Amino acid sequence: MKIIVLLKRVPDTEAKILINQEGTGIRKDGVKFVINTYDEYGIEEGLKLKEKLGGDSKVTVFCLGPEESTEVIRTALAMGADDAVHICDPALESPAPFTTSAVLAKAIKDEGFDIIFCGKQGIDDDTAQVQGGIAEALGIPQVNIASSFELSEDGSRALIGRRIEGGNEKIESALPVIVTCDKGINEPRYASLPGIMKAKKKEIRTRTLADLGFDEMPAAGRSKILKWLPLPKGGECRMVEAEEVSDAVKELARLLREEAKII
Amino acid sequence: MAKDVLVFGELRGGKVKKVIKELIAAGKIITDGNGGSIDAVLIGSGAEKEAEKIKSLGLRKIAVIDEEILANYSTEGYAGALAGMIKEEGFGYILLGATAMGRDLGPRTAAKADGVMFSDCVELRFEEGKLIARRPVYSGKLSIEIAAEGDYPVFVTIRPNNISPAETGGDSTEIVSRPSGVTQEMIRAIAKEIVPLAGGRPDVSEADVIISGGRAMKDAANFKILEDLADLFGGAVGASRAAVDARFAEQPLQVGQTGKVVNPKLYIACGISGAIQHLAGMRTSKVIVAINKDPNAPIFEKAHYGIVGDLFEIVPILTEEIKKLLN
């Protein structure tokens, strides 16, 4: 089975995110970049499936991003992925989500695929759009926010649990399908030392837009970021104090009712 | 460029979600600035009955699509029906709630209808012939303003509780039934069943009141005191990443960058220090109360009201006090 996993290089969740001086994006100096948290679940799910199927199943990583993305691709290879395709082109510095979809879909189609795993969203721009665009471009079903995944006994269909407000949906899908993973679907493994050594020898194929047969940016210029805005400063916190805890709590309850008018 | 606005009315369990009134209000921002009319579409079982509930909100037309194969949600079925309607009737703007369904359906439909899409928006305005949307990025650590370039239908998902709902008024809107053109072969991923979450409390992403616990809860069983407080409001219980990672709480309860972004009227953080990724997920709550032993905890910088002390002492008293006020 040809298993595809998608990954994106993003700032670490603990990073403080600030706007750059030109106001055109974020400051990247001093920011640690990692594999998109949710994509780690996708990689793990792909590796688990490969281990279960055995034989000539193969996990190929696809990453669209700047040159520095090689580092996170190597991490995925060290976790156990077999090889990788890195789409890297100066024209793709900050692509609109559907541009990313069109480029990735073309690269995946060229490679051939049976199933695609990725995270439910990038923790940087939070659009959760790329997967829908890929699914549409490839003409395959999509199942988002997966909290569990298995193949049916005969291996012809995917059985996927999906979290929705207030419940869990159980979905049965034909293959191929793109499955986007949520936290909790698995515990991503750490790269082992032998894994890291092996990863150095694994192949990363670099592709430009021209390599993929695009004469120009697909679906270029559909949306434009006009402005980056910092968050408004939070108000002053009113500390509620009293000699006795019970009096302080009583005062808090009163403030919530009379001042905040929330109760 | 097409001016008309289409609002998607999400049905869950046969009921239209209340976010529809916020979507209609958002639609009015567009038509006030740009002209055009607002239509709504309801897809699924019970659509016609639910359409009655939005009849007097100033809509031009309400389309209902109630067919056997679209009785329950499927991405492909609903995206097919919606994209078909958009292409035939030529809408310029399509608004959906940023719910689990909207976030699944929006991008797929936008891709199908050759549109451009803005996810999870919190504010819209119409300026110089352009729709400008504000949306948080980096889980709310920053936000951006974004606009479309070129003549594409613009899809927007709008985060609930950010835009004041449309008010009742105006003439009764005509309800028309519409064929979808969707066939069984088009739907390859099908929901077989929905298992409701235990506890019967609302999801954190939809609750008006959230009582959240952090690592200081010490044990899963201790969440009972938060549940007691939440239940007074019909609210939800939330948790920090630390509490989820320590297995005190289930993952769906997690609030923050790798959990859910929430926007309730009242958020009470109990024993949560306020890691940057947690603050990112709850900072837009209308009123934030922090209860923490450490007076220097970062959560107090984002809170409106704070109490320094032991949550195990404070929370039960607070529950009693609020019970008195509510009675």
Side-chain angles (χ1 to χ4, degrees):
Chain A
M1 197 174 208
K2 277 193 167 177
I3 303 162
I4 306 290
V5 298
L6 309 181
L7 68 85
K8 186 176 191 186
R9 174 181 180 266
V10 299
D12 188 55
T13 50
E14 297 301 325
K16 202 170 164 84
I17 304 292
L18 298 168
I19 300 170
N20 65 20
Q21 239 169 0
E22 302 76 39
T24 53
I26 65 157
R27 280 178 62 166
K28 290 181 179 159
D29 53 301
V31 172
K32 187 181 158 204
F33 282 84
V34 295
I35 298 178
N36 176 39
T37 318
Y38 294 114
D39 290 342
E40 283 187 11
Y41 300 110
I43 297 166
E44 178 64 33
E45 212 50 42
L47 295 174
K48 272 171 60 186
L49 181 59
K50 175 193 153 157
E51 286 159 1
K52 184 144 190 255
L53 295 170
D56 56 358
S57 288
K58 183 178 162 194
V59 175
T60 301
V61 172
F62 278 73
C63 176
L64 185 155
E67 263 175 52
E68 296 87 342
S69 307
T70 323
E71 201 183 322
V72 293
I73 295 172
R74 288 277 173 219
T75 306
L77 295 173
M79 286 170 75
D82 295 289
D83 61 355
V85 174
H86 180 191
I87 302 160
C88 184
D89 193 305
L92 293 169
E93 201 200 325
S94 51
F98 285 153
T99 304
T100 304
S101 304
V103 174
L104 279 170
K106 177 65 169 57
I108 293 166
K109 203 169 185 178
D110 289 352
E111 181 81 14
F113 63 99
D114 295 303
I115 190 157
I116 305 168
F117 292 104
C118 63
K120 68 168 181 172
Q121 70 192 67
I123 59 162
D124 50 356
D125 59 14
D126 292 324
T127 68
Q129 277 169 241
V130 171
Q131 59 266 43
I134 291 174
E136 183 61 26
L138 294 174
I140 59 172
Q142 67 187 58
V143 180
N144 278 323
I145 340 179
S147 53
S148 68
F149 172 87
E150 59 181 339
L151 282 185
S152 63
E153 264 175 45
D154 65 355
S156 71
R157 303 180 77 73
L159 310 172
I160 302 156
R162 170 172 189 265
R163 293 206 181 97
I164 56 168
E165 289 92 352
N168 274 304
E169 223 172 33
K170 300 207 164 173
I171 292 186
E172 191 178 314
S173 175
L175 295 175
V177 59
I178 181 166
V179 180
T180 77
C181 302
D182 195 4
K183 184 177 178 178
I185 187 171
N186 55 42
E187 289 280 345
R189 66 195 67 186
Y190 288 101
S192 64
L193 194 59
I196 294 167
M197 299 310 288
K198 268 192 218 159
K200 290 182 179 161
K201 297 200 181 98
K202 289 177 180 171
E203 189 191 13
I204 301 178
R205 286 165 279 155
T206 308
R207 295 277 180 275
T208 61
L209 282 176
D211 294 338
L212 294 169
F214 290 105
D215 296 333
E216 54 184 31
M217 279 269 280
R222 290 193 151 182
S223 61
K224 191 177 176 187
I225 297 173
L226 305 174
K227 210 191 257 178
W228 288 77
L229 304 160
L231 287 174
K233 271 227 169 304
E236 215 39 17
C237 179
R238 176 156 179 179
M239 300 306 289
V240 186
E241 291 163 358
E243 217 142 281
E244 292 293 324
V245 173
S246 58
D247 291 334
V249 177
K250 204 175 271 181
E251 173 64 3
L252 173 66
R254 187 191 69 79
L255 286 168
L256 289 177
R257 165 155 242 170
E258 291 172 16
E259 193 178 275
K261 302 195 190 312
I262 205 81
I263 297 172
Chain B
M1 180 163 173
K3 287 177 184 288
D4 292 338
V5 177
L6 180 63
V7 165
F8 173 71
E10 173 175 346
L11 299 175
R12 276 285 186 198
K15 298 273 177 239
V16 65
K17 286 209 166 184
K18 65 177 186 186
V19 72
I20 185 143
K21 289 189 179 176
E22 296 161 37
L23 299 178
I24 293 169
K28 283 178 180 158
I29 295 173
I30 298 172
T31 54
D32 282 352
N34 194 39
S37 304
I38 309 172
D39 287 1
V41 58
L42 272 61
I43 308 175
S45 147
E48 182 135 16
K49 195 170 110 274
E50 290 300 297
E52 297 285 338
K53 291 189 185 162
I54 54 166
K55 261 176 93 168
S56 53
L57 290 165
L59 297 167
R60 175 180 64 181
K61 181 184 87 196
I62 303 168
V64 294
I65 304 175
D66 187 356
E67 295 170 9
E68 186 59 36
I69 61 166
L70 298 173
N72 293 311
Y73 178 69
S74 66
T75 317
E76 294 162 291
Y78 279 41
L82 197 51
M85 180 171 173
I86 293 159
K87 280 183 186 165
E88 269 173 42
E89 303 191 22
F91 292 96
Y93 303 89
I94 299 90
L95 309 180
L96 305 94
T99 58
M101 190 191 287
R103 288 170 57 91
D104 184 62
L105 178 62
R108 184 74 189 239
T109 313
K112 212 180 257 303
D114 202 23
V116 57
M117 157 126 216
F118 310 143
S119 300
D120 258 23
C121 298
V122 293
E123 194 186 296
L124 298 182
R125 61 176 202 274
F126 212 92
E127 222 173 71
E128 292 167 10
K130 253 190 190 317
L131 175 66
I132 298 173
R134 186 162 68 83
R135 55 180 304 266
V137 288
Y138 296 93
S139 298
K141 290 177 187 172
L142 297 176
S143 57
I144 55 173
E145 285 189 351
I146 189 164
E149 295 205 311
D151 189 7
Y152 302 102
V154 179
F155 288 70
V156 184
T157 56
I158 293 174
R159 212 178 260 183
N161 293 337
N162 280 288
I163 294 175
S164 305
E167 310 232 351
T168 310
D171 298 334
S172 181
T173 306
E174 178 198 12
I175 299 172
V176 289
S177 179
R178 201 182 186 287
S180 70
V182 173
T183 58
Q184 200 65 59
E185 303 75 61
M186 289 162 73
I187 307 173
R188 293 159 296 178
I190 302 158
K192 292 286 177 189
E193 78 181 296
I194 295 176
V195 185
L197 283 185
R201 292 186 187 86
D203 190 83
V204 285
S205 63
E206 298 194 305
D208 281 338
V209 175
I210 301 173
I211 317 296
S212 270
R215 204 198 303 268
M217 293 305 295
K218 291 186 187 138
D219 189 74
N222 291 335
F223 270 72
K224 173 81 171 59
I225 60 169
L226 307 188
E227 291 168 6
D228 290 345
L229 180 51
D231 288 347
L232 292 182
F233 300 99
V237 171
S240 70
R241 183 165 82 188
V244 171
D245 289 349
R247 304 202 183 277
F248 299 166
E250 297 281 332
Q251 212 278 323
L253 304 189
Q254 188 185 322
V255 172
Q257 194 169 11
T258 52
K260 289 186 179 127
V261 175
V262 300
N263 185 30
K265 291 185 180 129
L266 175 63
Y267 188 89
I268 305 186
C270 308
I272 294 176
S273 62
I276 189 163
Q277 66 88 21
H278 184 78
L279 299 176
M282 44 64 79
R283 50 163 303 131
T284 58
S285 306
K286 301 284 176 297
V287 176
I288 299 169
V289 177
I291 301 169
N292 206 293
K293 264 187 178 164
D294 175 9
N296 298 315
I299 188 81
F300 288 119
E301 287 165 32
K302 293 287 174 279
H304 304 96
Y305 298 97
I307 283 200
V308 177
D310 180 5
L311 75 95
F312 293 107
E313 192 181 354
I314 293 168
V315 173
I317 305 175
L318 186 60
T319 305
E320 285 313 308
E321 289 300 326
I322 290 176
K323 207 181 273 172
K324 280 186 215 160
L325 291 177
L326 290 174
N327 282 337

